[in-house]
Amino acid sequence: RRDLNRCFPGSAKGSLAGRVAHIFLNEIVKHCDYGIDLHTGAIHRSNLPQIRADMSDPDTKALAEVFGVPVVLNSNLVDGSLRESAVKNETKILLYEAGEALRFDEFSIRAGMKGILNVLQHLGMTRKVVRSKKKRMPFIANGSQWVRANASGIVHNIVNLGDQITKGQVLAEIGSPYGAIFDSVKATRSGILIGKQNIPLVQEGEAMFHVAYFSEDDEEIAGHIENVQEQLLPENDDS
């Protein structure tokens, strides 16, 4: 039950998670030029398909853009993470966040598979496929924030992943089993919803909605996310 992504670089004689991190780093990562770290959201939390990367590094920025998901979060290195240890080894790492723990999510799987193939083609590891359509550059978020519960109770969510969020908008209502509304959870800033908790019960102070902030038009971003989802879902697959 430890978070392996906070145990790097690990130790040969540490905890079980630390030993796994140590072996993985030394026997695999240190022999790699590039890597894609695949993540879901935590238990009872789901993420919109997104890439998190250090966009100040030109090579990593190019990989993030090639991957092809609509949203890229310019993310600093986190202490104890695989990305932090990999960068010290000069290994370029993308972190792909999508879906929910313990659940299959068709959109997240398809977006991830397509992104991995795009990176492999970009690096010359697989044959490039000629595409007629011009590739759309991802929207880069330079900040994000979790909106927290202001009461405890039963949750009625009003928004979905990928939705455009405006400041002051009601994201959810928290109430009693008998229908009384204790309080409304409102957005503190405008942006795009990239993560949310799914459990129908919440305690005051818990993180509920993850909103990313962009310099571009939020409505355009939300529309692009919807288009990508329509293209990747099975009923719209022409292959």
Side-chain angles (χ1 to χ4, degrees):
R1 301 299 299 170
R2 290 200 181 192
D3 186 351
L4 184 61
N5 204 35
R6 296 294 181 271
C7 295
F8 285 90
S11 167
K13 295 183 178 180
S15 66
L16 177 58
R19 295 182 189 212
V20 171
H22 176 78
I23 292 171
F24 184 73
L25 180 64
N26 287 279
E27 296 192 11
I28 298 178
V29 177
K30 287 188 176 181
H31 301 284
C32 297
D33 298 312
Y34 304 95
I36 302 174
D37 190 9
L38 305 177
H39 284 241
T40 67
I43 294 175
H44 305 308
R45 288 187 182 177
S46 53
N47 285 325
L48 180 78
Q50 61 196 261
I51 284 291
R52 299 182 185 180
D54 177 11
M55 301 298 280
S56 65
D57 176 69
D59 291 338
T60 304
K61 182 175 184 290
L63 294 178
E65 292 173 346
V66 163
F67 195 94
V69 291
V71 172
V72 173
L73 189 59
N74 188 14
S75 176
N76 295 327
L77 299 175
V78 178
D79 291 343
S81 67
L82 171 61
R83 274 205 305 150
E84 182 194 41
S85 293
V87 166
K88 291 179 179 177
N89 187 59
E90 298 185 352
T91 302
K92 308 296 183 181
I93 291 280
L94 297 181
L95 192 153
Y96 177 62
E97 284 273 7
E100 179 185 1
L102 308 179
R103 298 288 185 272
F104 288 127
D105 180 87
E106 192 74 16
F107 177 40
S108 298
I109 294 168
R110 286 174 174 260
M113 285 295 296
K114 185 176 180 181
I116 291 168
L117 293 174
N118 287 343
V119 170
L120 291 176
Q121 291 170 13
H122 173 75
L123 296 174
M125 298 176 70
T126 61
R127 182 173 58 87
K128 288 190 176 181
V129 178
V130 178
R131 293 185 174 89
S132 57
K133 291 184 179 179
K134 185 178 179 181
K135 200 169 185 65
R136 180 81 179 256
M137 297 299 287
F139 295 95
I140 299 174
N142 291 308
S144 67
Q145 185 178 36
W146 278 94
V147 179
R148 297 184 176 274
N150 47 14
S152 300
I154 297 175
V155 179
H156 170 59
N157 285 324
I158 298 174
V159 292
N160 297 307
L161 290 177
D163 283 356
Q164 177 189 3
I165 304 300
T166 57
K167 183 178 180 180
Q169 179 181 347
V170 176
L171 308 179
E173 292 177 338
I174 301 174
S176 75
Y178 302 103
I181 304 300
F182 297 145
D183 215 331
S184 297
V185 180
K186 297 180 181 180
T188 55
R189 287 181 60 179
S190 298
I192 297 295
L193 187 64
I194 63 170
K196 62 186 286 289
Q197 71 113 16
N198 298 320
I199 195 168
L201 299 174
V202 70
Q203 302 296 325
E204 185 174 353
E206 285 184 347
M208 293 184 66
F209 300 99
H210 193 193
V211 181
Y213 310 126
F214 300 83
S215 56
E216 296 93 341
D217 178 30
D218 292 338
E219 186 174 354
E220 181 184 0
I221 301 170
H224 181 45
I225 292 169
E226 186 176 351
N227 289 337
V228 171
Q229 187 170 9
E230 290 176 354
Q231 293 168 11
L232 289 176
L233 288 178
E235 57 267 27
N236 301 300
D237 187 8
D238 298 325
S239 60

